[in-house]
């Protein structure tokens, strides 16, 4: 059910106009619990790639051929089914990830967006992001995605050094990356994000900083810094294990990250999350939903979601994982309307742990109002206010706990993992010592 051309262009034009009106510095406040239960973000997983990168262990496949019509039909069906199961009435953002979703047809993107708009409310100002890899001929393809309804691009640039790109198994060159970035900025001004990687084997701090400075001459208003993670089962992991490549130096990676943050701050970027930097209000609405523990639906092979199913007296949020392998996933969708393989109910403490760990990734942190939406009885001050170890973190200037809530300082964001080693056990201890709720099952 491809979206008619005129209708797609009209929706996309309205979306672009709405986004221009909506650009503000910062993210909006949290909706009320009642509204939050009816809102969600939507993640759509395209599982196919041309080639597997040497560092990647994501759920992706290198097919001999793709039956896109069948994949498109199943993505549409699963989106409609999960929207109905969740009772979601308003979709705040859509993110096409992968894999390499820019290999999909723009008609597939349009069909999914049309299905969402028919099943729930998809406002004209909804953020619709597509992950794309740099290519030697980016122009017409990117324009077609814009016509289909995409209004934001996330480009997997990773490096501006051809030797590093070959090491990572990327199929593009630095020249391809800059060409794609320029074309993306022309088509989606102010709506282009780039991924940039640090901590590669034998990578040098000075040369990496030089690349970052070069990127600042070409990039748009959003940039993500990611440290390489060596994952078992990847080609890069095997090369390091066999001694073909040196192991990445964690101290050098930490220095790159810290000095990179300073460079970006001086260039006018706000570090609004541990790995994400934006200026001119170009924050990722979709990712903000994750960090605020909002509901999101995962569509496609191996996609993850978190939402509260409606009906049957359910009042518990579930973590859901869709079937990994594309052919099996499609069979299940055709049989049952969706390919959910695993459903895990989240307990109240588990949910609070997520609120804490994800919320502290942002510079806003966790406001008292936001915390109370998930735990109305046990306040942030009840949990952390009297703990000696937390007090030491406050005195060191790594954490702040005040009338606004709990958050990391700029220095604290860089060492969040170590802070959570203190904060999570304290939350668990406070939860065990709380006054039992009089509500049955509370």
């Amino acid at each position: 059910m491809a979206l008619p051309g005129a209708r797609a262009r009209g929706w996309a034009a309205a979306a672009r106009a709405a986004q221009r009106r909506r650009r503000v510095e910062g993210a909006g406040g949290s909706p009320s619990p009642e509204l939050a239960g009816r809102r969600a973000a939507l993640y759509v997983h395209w599982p196919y790639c041309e080639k597997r990168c040497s560092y990647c262990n994501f759920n992706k496949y290198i097919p001999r051929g793709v039956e896109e019509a069948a994949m498109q039909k199943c993505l549409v069906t699963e989106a409609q089914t999960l929207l109905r199961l969740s009772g979601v009435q308003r979709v705040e953002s859509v993110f096409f990830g992968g894999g390499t979703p820019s290999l999909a047809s723009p008609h597939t993107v349009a069909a999914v967006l049309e299905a969402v708009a028919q099943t729930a409310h998809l406002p004209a100002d909804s953020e619709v992001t597509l992950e794309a890899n740099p290519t030697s001929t980016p122009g017409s393809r990117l324009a077609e995605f814009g016509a289909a309804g995409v209004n934001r691009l996330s480009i997997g640039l990773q490096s501006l050094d051809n030797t590093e790109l070959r090491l990572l198994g990327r199929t593009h060159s630095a020249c391809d990356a800059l060409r794609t970035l320029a074309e993306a900025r022309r088509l989606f001004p102010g709506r282009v994000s780039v991924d940039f990687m640090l901590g590669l084997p034998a990578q040098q701090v000075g040369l990496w900083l030089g690349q970052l400075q070069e990127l600042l001459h070409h990039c748009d208003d959003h940039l993500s810094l990611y440290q390489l993670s060596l994952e078992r089962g990847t080609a890069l992991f095997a090369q390091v294990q066999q001694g073909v490549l040196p192991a990445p130096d964690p101290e050098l990676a930490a220095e790159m990250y810290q000095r990179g943050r300073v460079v970006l701050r001086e260039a006018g970027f706000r570090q609004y999350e541990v790995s994400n930097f934006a200026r001119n209000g170009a924050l990722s609405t979709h990712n903000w939903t994750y960090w605020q523990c909002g509901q999101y639906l995962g569509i496609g092979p191996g996609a993850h979601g978190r939402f509260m199913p409606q009906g049957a007296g359910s009042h518990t949020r579930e973590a859901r994982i869709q079937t990994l392998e594309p052919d099996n996933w499609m069979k299940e969708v055709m049989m049952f309307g969706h390919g959910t393989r695993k459903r895990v109910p989240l307990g109240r403490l588990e949910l609070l742990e997520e609120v804490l760990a994800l919320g502290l990734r942002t510079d806003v942190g966790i406001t008292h109002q936001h915390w109370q939406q998930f735990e109305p009885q046990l306040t942030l001050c009840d949990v952390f206010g009297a703990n000696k170890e937390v007090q030491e973190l406050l005195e060191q200037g790594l954490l702040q706990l005040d009338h606004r809530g709990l958050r990391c300082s700029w220095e604290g964001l860089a060492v969040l993992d170590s802070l959570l080693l203190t904060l999570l056990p304290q939350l668990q201890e406070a939860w065990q010592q709380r006054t039992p709720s009089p509500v049955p099952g509370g």
Side-chain angles (χ1 to χ4, degrees), residues 291-360:
W291 300 319
Q292 291 293 291
C293 274
Q295 292 196 121
Y296 60 97
L297 312 182
I299 308 300
H304 289 226
R306 270 167 166 69
F307 64 87
M308 185 182 297
Q310 301 298 300
S314 174
H315 298 286
T316 303
R317 183 181 296 209
E318 292 182 350
R320 290 192 170 216
I321 303 176
Q322 309 308 99
T323 293
L324 291 172
E325 205 279 330
D327 289 344
N328 291 335
W329 170 81
M330 283 192 278
K331 290 176 184 176
E332 292 176 22
V333 172
M334 288 186 284
M335 289 178 63
F336 309 114
H338 64 88
T340 301
R341 177 56 60 93
K342 188 175 183 180
R343 298 169 56 182
V344 180
L346 296 175
R348 289 173 61 193
L349 176 58
E350 290 177 287
L351 189 53
L352 287 179
E353 289 170 343
E354 290 191 357
V355 171
L356 179 68
L358 293 174
L360 288 181

Side-chain angles (χ1 to χ4, degrees), residues 242-263:
Q242 295 163 6
V244 176
L245 292 172
D249 187 326
E251 292 187 5
L252 288 182
E255 183 180 352
M256 288 178 200
Y257 175 70
Q258 188 63 19
R259 293 179 65 178
R261 299 170 74 214
V262 173
V263 167

Side-chain angles (χ1 to χ4, degrees), residues 44 46 94-106 108-110 127-133 141-146 148-156 184 188 191-193:
V44 183
W46 180 262
V94 182
F95 192 103
F96 291 88
T100 310
S102 54
L103 295 177
S105 164
T108 292
V109 170
E127 179 187 88
V128 180
T129 304
L130 179 87
E131 287 185 340
N133 282 342
R141 186 76 169 173
L142 295 182
E144 290 172 4
F145 282 117
V150 171
N151 54 36
R152 184 178 183 272
L153 290 180
S154 178
I155 299 176
F188 303 90
R191 307 287 297 168
V192 180
S193 177

Side-chain angles (χ1 to χ4, degrees), residues 110-165:
V112 172
L113 293 175
E114 175 69 357
V116 173
Q118 288 179 348
T119 311
H121 178 47
L122 182 63
D125 62 352
S126 294
E127 179 187 88
V128 180
T129 304
L130 179 87
E131 287 185 340
N133 282 342
T135 173
S136 57
T137 55
S140 60
R141 186 76 169 173
L142 295 182
E144 290 172 4
F145 282 117
V150 171
N151 54 36
R152 184 178 183 272
L153 290 180
S154 178
I155 299 176
L157 186 142
Q158 312 307 357
S159 174
L160 288 178
D161 181 277
N162 286 329
T163 300
E164 291 178 353
L165 290 170

Side-chain angles (χ1 to χ4, degrees), residues 407-424:
R407 62 196 176 277
C408 293
S409 64
W410 191 81
E411 293 77 13
L413 277 178
V415 291
L416 173 60
D417 287 350
S418 65
L419 302 185
L420 289 174
L421 293 177
T422 296
L423 296 174
L424 283 171

